[in-house]
């Protein structure tokens, strides 16, 4: 499950910090898997709401290519939570035209 830490900025107002799951990735992942942070990789840093996926095709594709994700082979996305983050990456890759993306269901 995505983690969000909050701190009180002033009475009744909280600031949220969205945390990725890199520590989970380091503790164990499918061999050859690439970590994609839902808070940093392929997000629109100019959006007023944090962690909004980039809509600019070339920018998004450049970020994914830097992560080793290209259209030359299938991609299977998964996460260590309740399968909440992987569908975001699946959707973004599909939206940006990747021809073969699948989402591995979460297991417990």
């Amino acid at each position: 499950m995505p983690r969000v830490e909050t701190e009180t900025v002033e009475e009744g107002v909280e600031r949220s910090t969205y945390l990725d799951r890199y520590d989970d990735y380091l503790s164990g992942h499918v061999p050859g898997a690439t970590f994609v942070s839902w808070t940093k990789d392929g997000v629109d840093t100019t959006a007023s709401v944090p962690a909004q996926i980039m809509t600019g095709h070339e920018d998004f594709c450049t970020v994914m290519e830097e992560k080793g994700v290209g259209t030359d082979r299938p991609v299977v996305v998964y996460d260590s939570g309740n399968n909440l983050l992987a569908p975001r990456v699946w959707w973004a890759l599909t939206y940006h035209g990747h021809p073969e993306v699948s989402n591995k269901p979460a297991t417990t």
Side-chain angles (χ1 to χ4, degrees), residues 13-58:
V13 178
E14 291 184 337
R15 176 180 319 159
S16 297
T17 303
Y18 296 87
L19 305 173
D20 61 30
R21 303 294 298 237
Y22 190 63
D23 54 337
D24 291 342
Y25 171 80
L26 291 176
S27 68
H29 56 272
V30 173
T34 298
F35 179 76
V36 175
S37 170
W38 76 287
T39 62
K40 298 177 185 125
D41 300 322
V43 297
D44 182 353
T45 57
T46 65
S48 59
V49 177
Q52 296 300 307
I53 295 173
M54 285 179 178
T55 56
H57 180 74
E58 288 188 26

